[in-house]
């Protein structure tokens, strides 16, 4: 091979680590030896948080990710890195934010357990710096996760951070990247045009639609156009002045001002430094990271600083190992951004022609505000752009974790390990409303008292207002393991016995200070007991808002567990685990109650059988497992539960019963069965894995009807159940393996679930249709299903929407809604995708790499937005108003109901909004991201190498195909995900 000094060559082979070499003038021939890759299946170890198990010995279902796979996605948190890379894991962007193999609880916790370095992580997963992560193991079934007992019902995500190794030379890595995203597209959702909006306002005004508001004693606001129409009616302005003013307003669109003054392009920057290594008796790893995120809203920022240090020491010829880890995260959020009042007219302006901040009238009528200023009240004008400067809201959070551990080899095959963790979370949120803020001025003015001489006095001091919230969580965990490992010929056995104690306390509170002076940190006393007449309507009285609350919760758990793994010749592996958890949530008299959970599993490495034909080369693996995990709603207790409150007027204590006593309260259980098959071709060019699972929830927390004479209508206990099943498929191929390489990865997941038992039926089916099964679970449907009113089309004579009443087509909306039952309502289907996955293609050539990721979501439904007319002809509503029925025959090509000819009908609007015609499939295929990277390698002295990677990634590139008839974004509230571009570099030494 020929080359000149400075040229770099790459030598690679499937299953081995790539080797880079720089030509030098002194060397003319070299011998290269490749090392087996850590990604070879047999060498991968799955961490359960208690032990590490070789993947070929794992009987359960788990998915392993190394740091290289985690770098495929750019993001400041672990969830961003997990998106579309784990089969069965669905990131939803709404409650529940993340599921593994669907949901198997109704009111209990639905999120998977997060484990970091062997202990459950109780903080915000977004606080974990992904650059600190070495590997992630996602445990899905009972055999893999049952060791975590009652916390494993929703799956377990085990995170192992980067650490040093004994005898490792010091390694330094630094990474920095920046992501820029587009502004939100405020014009994506079609709405009524400004011109038509004003014309509709004039029509409503001429028909007397604003008369009640105009005379309302609460001074309810009227738009600028309506105020102009009133002024013309009262002969305060001429017709020419009216028309010219309205023509000027028609030229404005408030979305342009919002886009200019209140939103921005997003920007996120991240930097991380890691140093690790080790000697003969000491290993270490130190890392720090800083992230700064600027979201779309102006004056909002999110800063995070993470610090992590891991140390381990070896004594007595490595018989004793002691570890000490420290983790800290410091989080600061500034939330001074302004959420503009949503009831504004589309022609409002945030600045006037001179660029001055303009007042808008979204809370009170302009004549009243002018009068209030003359009465000596504070300026009551609402200027949105001023609020960017007048608010001061920030949130500070700190999370600390201290891990101590010791492992001692009692005998050559017997090891004792003790771990302790102390974790502390402190949070503080402050919102300081200065006296210039609208919030403070509005509250001060509302409670102003006008005396006989017409002068105001202020029960709420003429100063700022401070809202303060605090959170303080503490947890202590202690665990002891005794592990026995031995190999006798072809027989390998691993036994683990242990116990665990855990105590967690949570305390939070909120309070408000009136008359707050930030300079002196002082406040003034107000009278909460008196009812004051409101300044804007003296016949209305109210008390000064009293904001003060305290909450405290303590959970204690004691657990015993055992795990057994037996392997014969590397061909057969059998596993069994058992765990019993106890908790204080069952009350003092029953605190010995617990739940036994277990799992069994087997894996058969068929390829190691001597009778296997040479024609079936490669790796063949079959596995199966069965067992129970658990789950719990920690808000419940076997004792009576109630909210203990104090009335602000009398200061007398009172209690509101939440749930009656339930001596039979017990843990939720999740029954799992898993069956898996995997084949890897000889040479690793093709890797196919398939798993089928059954996942049923038992003894789930549900609502049941209760005798009204007891004082409650229903109680919550272990009365519900669910059933779920699914299929997961992974296919990895090496299509071209030459100087140019092409790899493909396909992830396919199918997960469905339904509620099989739920005793409390919806009293009014319309509530379940309008508020969803999130609030009203229904037996026989998915936990998050969409129901709708059956649709019978538009009336060809008048365009009215039609449904069914007693089996007949009808437009009696009130009775249709009241008469809709569980039996005759339309069950459209689940609102979460039940089929989802990704298809990634990766290309490598020399030092270049590129990947293209396509994701898909199938078999789920979304409710589309449309017009609702109300009592003002759909004023400011959805752009569907231009697709409405207007003449006979239109019903052949539109489902949008006609505009009412007289007063609006709210029942008509409700029926149309929640009719089945607006529910469409959310199925879509998306071009998720494209990533390009270049790697440079430089030879240094003492056989050290400097590796620099440069990368660029483009995300949220748009939809390739969508099922719905409108061809619009089915997720993200029907608004496209903003395009993002990331650039960065990673340096390793």
């Amino acid at each position: 091979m020929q080359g000149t000094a400075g040229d770099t060559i790459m030598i690679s082979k499937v299953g081995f680590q790539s080797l880079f070499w720089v030509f030098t003038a002194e060397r003319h021939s070299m011998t290269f030896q490749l090392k087996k890759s850590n990604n070879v299946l047999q060498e991968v170890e799955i961490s359960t948080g208690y032990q590490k198990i070789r993947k070929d010995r794992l009987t359960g279902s788990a998915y392993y990710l190394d740091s290289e796979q985690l770098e495929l996605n750019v993001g400041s948190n672990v969830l961003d890195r997990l998106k579309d890379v784990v089969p069965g894991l669905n990131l939803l962007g709404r409650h529940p934010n993340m599921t593994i193999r669907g949901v198997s609880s109704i009111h209990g916790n639905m999120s998977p357990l997060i484990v970091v370095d062997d202990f459950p992580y109780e903080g915000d997963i977004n606080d974990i710096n992904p650059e600190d992560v070495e590997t992630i193991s996602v445990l899905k079934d009972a055999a893999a996760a049952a060791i975590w007992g009652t916390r494993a019902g929703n799956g377990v995500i085990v995170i192992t951070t980067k650490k040093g190794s004994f005898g490792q030379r010091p390694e330094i890595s630094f990474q920095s990247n920046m992501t820029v995203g587009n502004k939100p597209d405020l014009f994506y959702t079609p709405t009524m045009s400004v011109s038509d909006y004003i014309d509709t306002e004039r029509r409503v005004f001429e028909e007397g639609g604003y008369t009640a508001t105009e005379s309302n004693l609460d001074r309810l606001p009227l738009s600028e156009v309506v105020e102009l129409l009133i002024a013309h009616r009262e002969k305060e302005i001429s017709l020419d002045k009216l028309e010219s003013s309205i023509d000027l307003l028609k030229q404005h669109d408030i979305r342009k001002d919002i886009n200019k003054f209140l939103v921005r392009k997003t920007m996120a920057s991240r930097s991380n430094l890691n140093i690790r290594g080790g000697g003969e008796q000491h290993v270490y790893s130190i890392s720090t990271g800083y992230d700064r995120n600027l979201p779309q809203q102006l004056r909002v920022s999110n800063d995070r600083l993470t610090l992590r240090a891991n140390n381990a020491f070896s004594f007595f010829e490595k018989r004793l190992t002691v570890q000490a880890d420290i983790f800290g995260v410091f989080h600061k959020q500034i939330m001074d951004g302004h959420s503009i009042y949503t009831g504004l007219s589309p022609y409002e302006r945030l600045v006037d022609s001179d660029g001055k901040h303009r007042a808008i009238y979204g809370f009170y009528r302009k004549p009243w505000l002018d009068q209030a200023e003359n009465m000596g009240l504070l300026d009551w004008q609402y200027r949105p752009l001023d609020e960017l400067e007048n608010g001061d809201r920030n949130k500070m959070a700190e999370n600390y974790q201290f891990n101590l551990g010791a492992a001692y080899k009692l005998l050559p095959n017997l090891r004792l390990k003790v771990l302790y963790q102390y974790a502390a979370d402190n949070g503080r949120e402050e919102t300081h409303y200065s006296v210039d803020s609208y919030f403070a001025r509005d509250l001060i003015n509302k409670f102003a008292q006008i005396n006989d001489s017409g002068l105001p006095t202020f029960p709420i001091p003429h100063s700022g207002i401070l809202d303060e919230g605090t959170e303080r969580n503490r947890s202590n965990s202690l665990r002891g393991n005794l592990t026995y490992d031995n190999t006798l010929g072809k027989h390998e056995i691993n036994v683990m016995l242990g116990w665990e104690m855990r105590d967690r306390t949570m305390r939070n509170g909120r309070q408000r200070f009136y008359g707050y002076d930030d300079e002196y940190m002082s406040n003034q006393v107000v009278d909460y007991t008196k009812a004051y007449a409101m300044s804007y309507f003296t016949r209305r009285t109210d008390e000064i808002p009293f904001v003060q609350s305290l909450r405290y919760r303590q959970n204690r758990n004691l657990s015993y567990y055992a795990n057994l793994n037996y392997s014969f010749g590397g061909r057969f592996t059998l596993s069994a685990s058992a765990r019993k958890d106890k908790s204080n949530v069952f009350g003092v008299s029953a605190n010995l109650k617990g739940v036994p959970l277990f799992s069994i599993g087997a894996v058969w490495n068929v390829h190691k059988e001597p009778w296997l034909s040479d024609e079936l080369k490669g790796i063949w693996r079959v596995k199966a497992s069965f067992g129970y995990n658990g789950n719990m709603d920690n808000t419940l207790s076997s004792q009576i539960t109630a909210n203990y409150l104090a009335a602000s007027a009398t200061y007398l204590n009172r209690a509101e019963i939440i749930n009656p006593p339930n001596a039979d309260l017990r843990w939720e259980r999740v029954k799992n069965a898993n069956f898996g098959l995997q084949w890897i071709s000889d040479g690793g060019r093709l890797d196919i894995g398939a798993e089928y699972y059954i996942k049923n929830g038992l003894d789930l927390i549900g609502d049941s009807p209760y005798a009204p004479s007891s004082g409650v209508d229903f109680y919550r206990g272990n009365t519900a159940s669910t059933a779920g099943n699914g299929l997961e498929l992974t296919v990895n191929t090496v299509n071209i393996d030459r100087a140019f390489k092409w790899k493909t990865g396909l992830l396919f997941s199918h997960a469905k679930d339904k509620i099989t038992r739920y005793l409390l039926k919806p009293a009014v089916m319309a509530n379940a249709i309008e508020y969803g099964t999130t609030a009203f679970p229904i037996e026989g449907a998915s936990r998050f299903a969409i129901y709708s009113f059956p649709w019978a089309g538009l009336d060809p004579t008048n365009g009215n929407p039609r449904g069914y009443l007693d089996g007949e087509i009808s437009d009696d909306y009130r009775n249709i809604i009241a008469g809709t039952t569980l039996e005759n309502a339309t069950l459209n289907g689940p609102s979460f995708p039940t089929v989802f996955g990704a298809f990634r293609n990766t290309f490598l050539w020399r030092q270049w790499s590129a990947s293209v990721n396509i994701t898909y979501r199938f078999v789920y439904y979304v409710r589309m937005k449309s017009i609702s007319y109300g009592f003002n002809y759909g004023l400011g509503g959805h752009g569907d108003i231009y697709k409405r029925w207007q003449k006979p025959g239109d019903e052949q090509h539109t489902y949008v109901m006609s505009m009412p000819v007289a007063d609006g009908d709210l029942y008509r609007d409700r029926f149309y909004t929640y009719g089945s015609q607006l529910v469409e499939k959310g199925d879509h295929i998306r071009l998720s991201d494209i990533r390009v990277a270049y790697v440079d390698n430089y030879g240094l002295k003492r056989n050290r190498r400097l590796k620099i990677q440069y990368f660029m990634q483009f995300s949220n590139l748009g939809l390739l195909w969508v099922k719905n008839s409108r061809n619009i974004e089915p997720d993200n509230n029907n608004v496209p995900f903003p395009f993002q571009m990331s650039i960065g570099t990673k340096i390793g030494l």
Side-chain angles (χ1 to χ4, degrees), residues 218-318:
D218 281 327
R219 324 283 186 171
L220 298 179
L222 290 170
S223 72
E224 191 170 352
V225 165
V226 175
E227 293 287 6
L228 286 170
L229 293 171
I230 293 174
H232 174 258
R233 184 194 63 196
E234 301 299 324
K235 302 186 185 315
E236 297 174 3
I237 60 173
S238 66
L239 179 61
D240 290 342
K241 176 63 175 177
L242 171 67
E243 296 298 341
S244 63
S245 298
I246 288 179
D247 288 342
L248 184 63
L249 291 175
K250 286 184 177 182
Q251 300 175 21
H252 298 286
D253 191 322
I254 195 171
R255 291 175 295 183
K256 295 180 180 179
D257 278 5
I258 294 175
N259 191 65
K260 183 177 180 180
F261 298 110
L262 292 178
V263 297
R264 64 187 170 194
K265 288 188 175 183
T266 62
M267 181 175 293
S269 60
R270 309 171 191 95
S271 299
N272 189 82
L273 176 66
N274 179 272
I275 303 173
R276 58 177 170 169
E280 291 299 320
Q281 295 182 312
H282 173 226
V283 297
Y284 60 89
S285 176
I286 303 172
S287 69
T288 181
Y290 175 71
D291 297 66
R292 180 170 176 79
N293 292 295
L294 303 177
Q296 294 172 340
Q297 201 173 7
L298 279 176
R299 303 279 296 188
V300 176
S301 63
N302 191 334
D303 294 80
R304 183 189 69 191
L305 175 66
T306 58
L307 300 170
R308 184 180 294 275
N310 306 100
N311 287 274
F313 303 88
S314 176
F315 304 97
F316 310 122
E317 298 180 347
K318 296 187 178 180

Side-chain angles (χ1 to χ4, degrees), residues 665-961:
L665 184 69
R666 55 196 179 276
W667 303 88
E668 294 185 337
R669 295 183 298 146
V670 182
K671 183 169 69 173
N672 283 276
N674 189 81
F675 309 92
L677 173 65
Q678 184 173 27
W679 175 63
I680 304 176
S681 67
D682 191 28
R685 296 284 295 269
L686 180 59
D687 181 348
I688 301 175
E691 293 190 7
Y692 175 77
Y693 64 88
I694 300 171
K695 188 177 182 181
N696 297 333
L698 308 174
D699 297 332
L700 302 186
I701 301 300
D703 293 329
S704 301
Y706 212 61
S709 58
S710 65
V712 294
D713 296 326
F714 65 89
Y715 85 100
R716 186 161 284 186
N718 302 92
T719 59
S721 61
T722 62
N725 61 77
L727 176 68
E728 295 168 1
L729 178 68
T730 60
V731 180
N732 295 294
T733 65
V734 180
N735 307 310
I736 300 176
D737 189 20
R738 295 186 177 88
F740 173 79
K741 301 180 185 300
W742 171 27
K743 301 178 182 180
T744 297
L746 171 67
L747 300 180
F748 172 87
S749 302
H750 172 52
K752 64 178 182 179
D753 62 81
K754 70 175 181 179
I755 299 173
T756 55
R757 186 171 188 259
Y758 199 82
L759 299 182
L760 185 65
K761 312 301 180 185
V764 180
M765 187 59 197
N767 291 337
I769 291 175
E770 297 179 32
Y771 297 103
T773 57
T774 300
F776 297 92
I778 296 178
E779 185 176 303
S782 169
R783 176 65 182 90
F784 300 100
I786 293 180
Y787 279 87
S788 59
F789 296 114
W791 176 255
L794 297 176
D795 190 321
T797 62
N798 55 24
N800 278 339
R802 300 182 302 178
Y804 294 94
L805 181 62
D806 298 328
E808 301 291 333
I809 294 178
S810 172
D811 60 2
D812 183 357
Y813 308 114
R814 183 168 188 167
N815 286 320
I816 289 175
I817 293 173
T820 299
T821 64
L822 180 59
E823 289 72 24
N824 60 31
T826 297
L827 172 57
N828 300 101
S831 61
F832 291 165
T834 59
V835 176
F836 54 93
F839 181 65
R840 182 181 292 274
N841 284 276
T842 303
F843 308 94
L844 301 102
W845 182 69
R846 295 184 178 178
Q847 294 156 272
W848 289 91
S849 65
S851 66
V852 179
N853 191 33
I854 296 173
T855 61
Y856 58 89
R857 305 283 188 271
F858 299 145
V859 195
Y860 74 111
Y861 294 82
V862 294
R863 195 185 302 277
M864 296 294 180
K865 299 176 181 179
S866 190
I867 189 66
S868 179
Y869 291 108
F871 296 107
N872 54 15
Y873 305 105
L875 182 69
H878 195 275
D880 272 2
I881 193 170
Y882 299 112
K883 300 178 181 179
R884 70 185 185 277
W885 186 99
Q886 299 187 62
K887 62 182 184 303
D890 286 351
E891 69 279 357
Q892 300 296 324
H893 55 79
T894 186
Y895 55 75
V896 183
M897 62 180 176
S898 59
M899 186 179 292
V901 296
D903 289 342
D905 184 345
L906 295 183
Y907 289 103
R908 181 179 190 255
D909 284 342
R910 285 177 62 190
F911 169 76
Y912 174 79
T913 299
Y914 296 99
S916 60
Q917 84 288 351
L918 291 182
V919 179
E920 297 204 39
K921 284 191 172 182
D923 300 20
H924 67 273
I925 301 175
R926 187 187 307 276
L927 181 55
S928 178
D929 62 81
I930 296 176
R931 180 186 176 92
V932 180
Y934 176 81
V935 178
D936 246 343
N937 280 268
Y938 303 92
L940 302 177
K941 294 181 180 180
R942 297 183 181 178
N943 202 27
R944 298 302 297 267
R945 304 199 59 78
L946 176 65
K947 181 179 178 180
I948 303 178
Q949 180 191 74
Y950 310 92
F951 69 87
M952 178 177 290
Q953 181 165 317
F954 306 94
S955 306
N956 301 332
L957 296 169
L959 295 168
L960 300 176
W961 172 84

Side-chain angles (χ1 to χ4, degrees), residues 149-372:
T150 54
R151 308 194 67 182
N154 304 305
V156 182
I157 297 177
V158 181
I159 298 173
T160 302
T161 61
K162 296 176 180 177
K163 298 179 178 64
S165 303
F166 288 105
Q168 178 186 12
R169 297 178 62 176
E171 291 184 1
I172 302 174
S173 65
F174 174 78
Q175 179 161 341
S176 179
N177 63 70
M178 177 177 291
T179 300
V180 179
N182 283 348
K183 288 183 177 183
D185 186 355
L186 303 179
F187 294 86
Y188 182 80
T189 302
T191 58
M192 179 183 287
S193 70
V194 174
S195 178
D196 288 343
Y197 185 99
I198 292 176
D199 291 342
T200 303
E201 279 191 310
R202 299 187 74 161
R203 176 182 178 182
V204 174
F205 179 81
E206 291 167 1
E207 295 176 358
Y210 297 108
T211 302
T213 304
E214 187 179 351
S215 58
N216 189 282
L217 297 178
D218 281 327
R219 324 283 186 171
L220 298 179
L222 290 170
S223 72
E224 191 170 352
V225 165
V226 175
E227 293 287 6
L228 286 170
L229 293 171
I230 293 174
H232 174 258
R233 184 194 63 196
E234 301 299 324
K235 302 186 185 315
E236 297 174 3
I237 60 173
S238 66
L239 179 61
D240 290 342
K241 176 63 175 177
L242 171 67
E243 296 298 341
S244 63
S245 298
I246 288 179
D247 288 342
L248 184 63
L249 291 175
K250 286 184 177 182
Q251 300 175 21
H252 298 286
D253 191 322
I254 195 171
R255 291 175 295 183
K256 295 180 180 179
D257 278 5
I258 294 175
N259 191 65
K260 183 177 180 180
F261 298 110
L262 292 178
V263 297
R264 64 187 170 194
K265 288 188 175 183
T266 62
M267 181 175 293
S269 60
R270 309 171 191 95
S271 299
N272 189 82
L273 176 66
N274 179 272
I275 303 173
R276 58 177 170 169
E280 291 299 320
Q281 295 182 312
H282 173 226
V283 297
Y284 60 89
S285 176
I286 303 172
S287 69
T288 181
Y290 175 71
D291 297 66
R292 180 170 176 79
N293 292 295
L294 303 177
Q296 294 172 340
Q297 201 173 7
L298 279 176
R299 303 279 296 188
V300 176
S301 63
N302 191 334
D303 294 80
R304 183 189 69 191
L305 175 66
T306 58
L307 300 170
R308 184 180 294 275
N310 306 100
N311 287 274
F313 303 88
S314 176
F315 304 97
F316 310 122
E317 298 180 347
K318 296 187 178 180
R319 292 185 61 186
L320 173 64
T321 302
V322 178
Q323 70 179 68
D325 304 334
I326 300 175
F327 166 72
V329 59
F330 308 90
H331 205 162
K332 180 178 181 180
Q333 290 179 281
I334 296 177
M335 300 168 283
D336 296 344
H338 181 65
S339 299
I340 191 166
Y341 178 66
T342 56
L344 300 178
S345 303
Y347 47 76
E348 291 283 6
R349 291 155 292 164
L350 300 181
V351 296
D352 59 23
S353 57
D354 296 328
K356 295 181 180 179
H357 296 178
R358 189 173 182 273
I360 56 180
Y361 306 98
F363 299 100
Y364 303 97
R365 285 196 62 192
K366 184 178 184 302
W368 160 247
L369 297 181
D370 294 339
Q371 177 186 348

